[in-house]
Amino acid sequence: MSSSVHQATCSAPVNIAVIKYWGKKDTTLILPTNDSLSVTLDQDHLRSVTTARADASFGSQDRLWLNGEEETIKADGRLRRCIDEMKKLRQAKESKDSNLPKLSEWAVHVCSENNFPTAAGLASSASGFAALIASLAALYELQPEVSSSELSRIARQGSGSACRSLFGGYVAWQGGEQSSGQDSLAVEVAPQSHWPELQALICVVSDAKKGTPSTAGMQRTVQTSPLLQHRIKEVVPDRMVKISEAIQKRDFDTFAEITMADSNNFHACCLDTAPPIFYMNDVSRAIVQLVEELNRANEADGKGKLVAYTYDAGPNAVLYAPKDNMPRILQTIRHYFPNADFDDTFDLLGKGVNASHRGAQEALSLPESLPSSFNANVIPVHEAGAVRRLIHTQVGDGPRVLERGAGKESLLNENGEPIRLQRAKRA
Amino acid sequence: MSSSVHQATCSAPVNIAVIKYWGKKDTTLILPTNDSLSVTLDQDHLRSVTTARADASFGSQDRLWLNGEEETIKADGRLRRCIDEMKKLRQAKESKDSNLPKLSEWAVHVCSENNFPTAAGLASSASGFAALIASLAALYELQPEVSSSELSRIARQGSGSACRSLFGGYVAWQGGEQSSGQDSLAVEVAPQSHWPELQALICVVSDAKKGTPSTAGMQRTVQTSPLLQHRIKEVVPDRMVKISEAIQKRDFDTFAEITMADSNNFHACCLDTAPPIFYMNDVSRAIVQLVEELNRANEADGKGKLVAYTYDAGPNAVLYAPKDNMPRILQTIRHYFPNADFDDTFDLLGKGVNASHRGAQEALSLPESLPSSFNANVIPVHEAGAVRRLIHTQVGDGPRVLERGAGKESLLNENGEPIRLQRAKRA
């Protein structure tokens, strides 16, 4: 493979909203009914990686592989729209500089992989579409002329929340007013460096039943929930202002209060849907209770909130907290929810950064640092594996260009086919 | 005992709201933030019975026993207020007719019992306060001059939803506008005889954890939930009108739709509270899913909704349906939730009206009458006892005067002490 191959490989992060996106006013353009705001998580731990290559030899058909499986690029589908929009931006660039190779006229091959298993219960569409857009932007050499916000507008048309994964740190998706969607895009509220102490603990909760897919669920809420309209008009606008201010001030107390309230408000609207949508289960509820009890104990000590929970369209909890609070949170969670697989990415247990702790059987004690007011019987110690896995991560940066040209990061072989697929064929 | 004793014994029914009461604008007078509407259940199955006696020999202190335990009548408490208001009405009557004995000047002894165990998870305060007011009204011979609505205004000050148990059939609690509470009372929407076919199946759900008491919970919602304000102003008024019309027309489809929507809307507001309040658990949610699936199957057959669920401040489901639908509902519930204790009050199993079916071990099949579109795998068959008990009942009448004077229905002995207590002393 030669580095003169027209190719780029990028990674993009996962983001978890603290002001939730739920409901579209335009399902084709993916225009949301309200603004939303998220924290970008560290790509060192969770990421999608995508290689995009343009080549005259590829013929007329764009192709895309996701985790080794080829996806159909439907004529009226979201992948088609994203690739076409990116090609248009390249075309505009080529029309200004006739020396540039006409990449926009060639088909692309795209290969994308997530480093986290579907079983983790994390939506991969946000990081996936962000990595797709970032890799095409690098392939087409669109930046810095084309801003990340402009790219986010295109990513949005792939998967709404993907637009927020075009930035690191603290990111707002401005819903916009225009019916064209021209002003529906992501902006940076604050970079990662502004408040790098914020960490996240993802509690992957077992759930027998498959939840309502969010795409279908949110439109059912739009059509049937009287409360959603109030959320859109009255609740979210005020919270967007207040949580942005809290982020500017690194005011964790306010950040936590709004984050928890908005998670609950979102799930309340799901419950207010006909038929109702339930994402949180009894284990999710137990984590809420535990967090509330931890916060009560911390506040009784005059130290404000310890931790905030938020739940997306599933039973998993994402706990946000400043890093100094994390040891206490982790130990408490591991006490009440024993035997969770635990990736100790920050080496809190002192057994090495890469040490995984798979279903340790020992009964874990509560932190001694907990104030005596803490009620040890707030929830029962759950059965082993009620929380299946813990992922400890932190606020992270935006998409990274891992490689321009075809080198060791490439997910495509010299023929423009997935390397993983090639391996599978050989095996 | 002589029948010239000044005494009355009354029974009063339980009611289960279909438009929920949640939140007070005056916690002393118990003035609700919104109107509510309920169905009164049959006293033949669930009731509170109360004997009230006035006697010059009782001295100056009113006394009250509840299920054999004496309750303290606090000077600023709800019991005190109810008894005083009733005495005032008696006094007004006595002042117009000097021949009447001055019962209002004597102390009362009141003895109250519920025929359903606390373990049934049913709130007993509504039927209990209704029976208290009904028995004092009978003792003081207040009716028909004093209307049931006027009595409901007093019962309301004991326990808000008690006001609705002063009527049979379909009952609205009009929240009222006046700060005095003068216009906050119950009215009959339709009598039992208007739509006697409506039945109820109470599914008593096991729950390890003790929920937030409703008195404290509802005020936390008033203080912290932005969605509750929308519910109060926009959602409930419209639903009150529509469900009243549905009852007038015996339109079960609309009745069911609004009942389920309002249950979900109420629980959504609980979830929107800070900290959030959860009453429904995973078993409650599974019953919701099952009902939704039963309705989908019935609607696919062109027959409208089969059944409606509603949940109060706890995990128990109350299922409403026309009586013809009940065999299918019962069989389906008993299939998915095996081994529930079952009181077969309508002899659906043909083993006699008084036959109880305690934890039958047999695996029950699904009804053959279910359309083939019904998805038998909608929820898993649950572990034995996930639903602990089933109570099958129907719409019922209002409070009954069981006896005037002291006869076989009396709960007080000749000394004015609880008969149950007397038995306990002897034993």
Side-chain angles (χ1 to χ4, degrees):
Chain A
M1 283 195 272
S2 140
S3 64
S4 71
V5 168
H6 297 290
Q7 175 175 309
T9 299
C10 289
S11 68
V14 165
N15 73 76
I16 302 287
V18 291
I19 302 290
K20 301 296 188 189
Y21 153 52
W22 196 252
K24 300 181 182 79
K25 55 188 182 193
D26 184 319
T27 54
T28 307
L29 291 172
I30 310 189
L31 303 180
T33 51
N34 59 259
D35 296 350
S36 56
L37 196 147
S38 60
V39 179
T40 296
L41 300 185
D42 194 336
Q43 284 161 89
D44 286 350
H45 309 139
L46 300 167
R47 66 180 165 276
S48 294
V49 176
T50 300
T51 296
R53 187 189 300 174
D55 201 295
S57 73
F58 285 163
S60 62
Q61 204 182 348
D62 299 316
R63 296 178 70 186
L64 183 140
W65 293 264
L66 178 58
N67 294 325
E69 296 279 323
E70 184 159 10
E71 300 278 307
T72 307
I73 302 176
K74 290 186 200 134
D76 57 351
R78 295 173 171 193
L79 284 168
R80 183 73 272 151
R81 204 169 307 121
C82 285
I83 295 169
D84 286 351
E85 290 287 324
M86 294 303 286
K87 283 186 175 175
K88 266 190 228 161
L89 290 176
R90 172 67 188 185
Q91 204 166 25
K93 188 182 169 90
E94 289 165 2
S95 70
K96 285 180 201 150
D97 181 354
S98 60
N99 292 326
L100 290 174
K102 299 284 183 288
L103 302 189
S104 67
E105 296 172 7
W106 301 345
V108 289
H109 281 194
V110 177
C111 186
S112 187
E113 298 197 355
N114 306 317
N115 80 329
F116 49 93
T118 310
L122 295 163
S124 57
S125 61
S127 56
F129 271 99
L132 167 69
I133 297 302
S135 65
L136 289 171
L139 166 68
Y140 293 153
E141 297 183 319
L142 299 179
Q143 294 203 286
E145 292 81 359
V146 174
S147 71
S148 292
S149 279
E150 284 176 82
L151 294 180
S152 80
R153 194 166 50 204
I154 299 172
R156 184 205 79 222
Q157 296 172 62
S159 171
S161 56
C163 72
R164 297 187 310 240
S165 278
L166 265 294
F167 290 92
Y170 304 83
V171 188
W173 174 9
Q174 299 174 336
E177 302 295 330
Q178 298 175 30
S179 61
S180 66
Q182 202 59 18
D183 56 349
S184 186
L185 41 76
V187 297
E188 185 187 85
V189 172
Q192 173 196 19
S193 59
H194 168 74
W195 193 13
E197 295 82 10
L198 194 77
Q199 297 197 335
L201 183 69
I202 304 170
C203 307
V204 181
V205 170
S206 293
D207 203 24
K209 100 181 164 55
K210 194 145 171 65
T212 311
S214 61
T215 305
M218 63 172 72
Q219 289 319 100
R220 207 162 85 205
T221 305
V222 169
Q223 286 150 17
T224 65
S225 167
L227 298 183
L228 182 72
Q229 297 310 314
H230 190 68
R231 166 173 171 75
I232 293 167
K233 286 183 210 131
E234 307 292 336
V235 178
V236 167
D238 183 55
R239 286 186 180 161
M240 284 294 293
V241 171
K242 287 189 175 143
I243 204 165
S244 299
E245 286 171 4
I247 290 165
Q248 296 304 340
K249 292 182 199 161
R250 302 178 196 89
D251 169 3
F252 180 71
D253 239 35
T254 306
F255 176 86
E257 187 188 319
I258 297 174
T259 293
M260 293 187 284
D262 205 71
S263 175
N264 291 329
N265 192 271
F266 151 53
H267 288 278
C269 291
C270 291
L271 177 47
D272 191 46
T273 301
I277 302 168
F278 300 97
Y279 288 121
M280 297 168 74
N281 64 21
D282 284 354
V283 174
S284 315
R285 292 164 51 195
I287 296 172
V288 165
Q289 286 180 273
L290 189 57
V291 165
E292 296 285 359
E293 197 63 29
L294 277 169
N295 283 341
R296 240 188 306 273
N298 220 50
E299 285 169 330
D301 267 13
K303 288 188 280 189
K305 294 202 193 305
L306 189 81
V307 49
Y309 54 77
T310 188
Y311 294 79
D312 277 351
N316 298 339
V318 176
L319 306 184
Y320 282 121
K323 73 173 184 215
D324 291 349
N325 298 357
M326 271 296 173
R328 177 186 286 192
I329 296 161
L330 246 166
Q331 198 179 339
T332 308
I333 290 280
R334 293 181 82 216
H335 169 78
Y336 285 104
F337 301 98
N339 287 36
D341 288 349
F342 171 47
D343 294 324
D344 192 9
T345 45
F346 294 90
D347 198 21
L348 291 183
L349 303 182
K351 292 176 184 173
V353 172
N354 291 317
S356 264
H357 302 270
R358 301 266 162 240
Q361 295 294 325
E362 71 268 31
L364 295 163
S365 58
L366 277 172
E368 286 176 21
S369 61
L370 270 180
S372 56
S373 62
F374 190 81
N375 175 6
N377 297 318
V378 56
I379 61 166
V381 170
H382 279 60
E383 61 188 10
V387 170
R388 273 199 292 126
R389 188 176 168 183
L390 294 168
I391 301 168
H392 187 184
T393 183
Q394 63 188 349
V395 58
D397 57 348
R400 299 171 186 168
V401 179
L402 302 180
E403 187 174 84
R404 293 179 191 273
K408 63 182 173 51
E409 301 287 348
S410 179
L411 301 178
L412 291 168
N413 67 15
E414 51 196 18
N415 302 321
E417 288 172 344
I419 286 171
R420 181 200 265 195
L421 204 60
Q422 189 180 30
R423 281 196 205 109
K425 273 182 191 165
R426 277 182 195 153
Chain B
M1 280 194 273
S2 142
S3 64
S4 70
V5 167
H6 296 290
Q7 175 174 310
T9 300
C10 291
S11 68
V14 166
N15 73 76
I16 302 287
V18 291
I19 303 292
K20 301 295 188 188
Y21 153 51
W22 196 250
K24 300 181 181 80
K25 55 188 184 194
D26 184 318
T27 54
T28 306
L29 292 173
I30 312 192
L31 303 180
T33 52
N34 59 259
D35 296 350
S36 56
L37 196 147
S38 58
V39 178
T40 295
L41 300 185
D42 194 337
Q43 285 162 87
D44 286 349
H45 310 140
L46 300 167
R47 66 179 165 276
S48 295
V49 176
T50 300
T51 297
R53 186 188 303 173
D55 200 295
S57 73
F58 285 164
S60 62
Q61 205 183 347
D62 299 315
R63 296 177 72 184
L64 183 141
W65 293 264
L66 178 58
N67 293 324
E69 296 279 322
E70 184 160 9
E71 300 277 306
T72 309
I73 302 177
K74 290 187 201 135
D76 57 350
R78 295 172 172 195
L79 284 168
R80 183 74 271 151
R81 204 169 308 121
C82 286
I83 295 170
D84 286 352
E85 291 286 326
M86 293 303 286
K87 284 186 176 175
K88 266 190 230 163
L89 291 176
R90 171 68 189 183
Q91 204 167 26
K93 188 181 170 86
E94 289 165 3
S95 70
K96 286 181 201 150
D97 181 353
S98 60
N99 293 325
L100 290 174
K102 299 281 184 289
L103 302 189
S104 68
E105 294 172 8
W106 300 345
V108 289
H109 281 195
V110 177
C111 185
S112 187
E113 298 198 355
N114 306 317
N115 80 330
F116 48 93
T118 310
L122 295 164
S124 57
S125 61
S127 55
F129 271 100
L132 169 68
I133 298 303
S135 64
L136 289 171
L139 167 66
Y140 293 153
E141 297 184 318
L142 299 178
Q143 295 203 285
E145 293 80 1
V146 174
S147 71
S148 292
S149 279
E150 284 176 83
L151 294 180
S152 81
R153 193 167 52 204
I154 299 173
R156 185 204 80 221
Q157 296 172 61
S159 172
S161 54
C163 71
R164 297 187 310 240
S165 278
L166 265 296
F167 290 91
Y170 303 84
V171 187
W173 175 9
Q174 298 175 337
E177 301 295 329
Q178 299 175 31
S179 61
S180 66
Q182 202 59 19
D183 57 348
S184 186
L185 42 76
V187 296
E188 186 187 84
V189 172
Q192 175 196 17
S193 58
H194 168 74
W195 193 13
E197 295 81 13
L198 195 77
Q199 297 196 335
L201 183 68
I202 304 171
C203 307
V204 181
V205 170
S206 294
D207 203 23
K209 100 178 162 58
K210 195 146 171 62
T212 311
S214 61
T215 305
M218 63 172 72
Q219 288 319 98
R220 207 162 86 205
T221 305
V222 169
Q223 286 150 19
T224 64
S225 166
L227 297 184
L228 182 71
Q229 298 310 314
H230 190 67
R231 165 172 172 75
I232 294 166
K233 286 183 209 127
E234 307 292 337
V235 178
V236 168
D238 183 53
R239 286 185 180 162
M240 283 295 293
V241 172
K242 288 190 175 142
I243 203 164
S244 299
E245 286 171 2
I247 290 165
Q248 296 304 340
K249 293 183 200 160
R250 302 178 195 91
D251 168 2
F252 180 71
D253 237 36
T254 306
F255 176 86
E257 188 188 319
I258 298 174
T259 294
M260 294 188 284
D262 204 70
S263 174
N264 292 328
N265 191 272
F266 151 53
H267 288 277
C269 290
C270 291
L271 177 47
D272 190 46
T273 301
I277 301 169
F278 300 96
Y279 288 119
M280 297 168 74
N281 64 20
D282 284 353
V283 174
S284 315
R285 292 164 49 196
I287 295 172
V288 166
Q289 285 179 272
L290 189 56
V291 165
E292 296 285 358
E293 198 62 29
L294 278 169
N295 284 340
R296 242 189 305 273
N298 220 51
E299 285 169 328
D301 267 11
K303 289 188 281 187
K305 293 202 194 304
L306 189 80
V307 48
Y309 53 77
T310 188
Y311 294 79
D312 277 349
N316 299 340
V318 175
L319 307 185
Y320 283 122
K323 73 172 187 220
D324 290 349
N325 298 357
M326 271 296 172
R328 178 186 286 191
I329 296 161
L330 246 167
Q331 198 179 340
T332 308
I333 290 280
R334 293 182 81 215
H335 170 78
Y336 285 105
F337 301 98
N339 287 36
D341 287 349
F342 171 46
D343 295 324
D344 192 10
T345 45
F346 294 90
D347 198 22
L348 291 183
L349 303 182
K351 292 176 184 173
V353 172
N354 291 316
S356 263
H357 302 269
R358 302 264 162 244
Q361 295 294 325
E362 71 267 34
L364 295 162
S365 59
L366 277 172
E368 284 176 22
S369 61
L370 271 179
S372 57
S373 62
F374 190 82
N375 175 7
N377 297 317
V378 55
I379 60 166
V381 171
H382 278 60
E383 60 187 11
V387 170
R388 273 197 293 126
R389 187 176 169 183
L390 295 169
I391 300 167
H392 186 183
T393 183
Q394 64 188 349
V395 58
D397 57 349
R400 299 173 187 168
V401 178
L402 301 181
E403 187 173 83
R404 293 181 193 271
K408 64 182 174 49
E409 300 288 348
S410 178
L411 300 178
L412 291 169
N413 67 16
E414 51 196 18
N415 302 320
E417 287 172 347
I419 286 172
R420 179 199 267 192
L421 204 59
Q422 190 180 28
R423 283 196 204 107
K425 271 182 189 162
R426 278 184 196 149

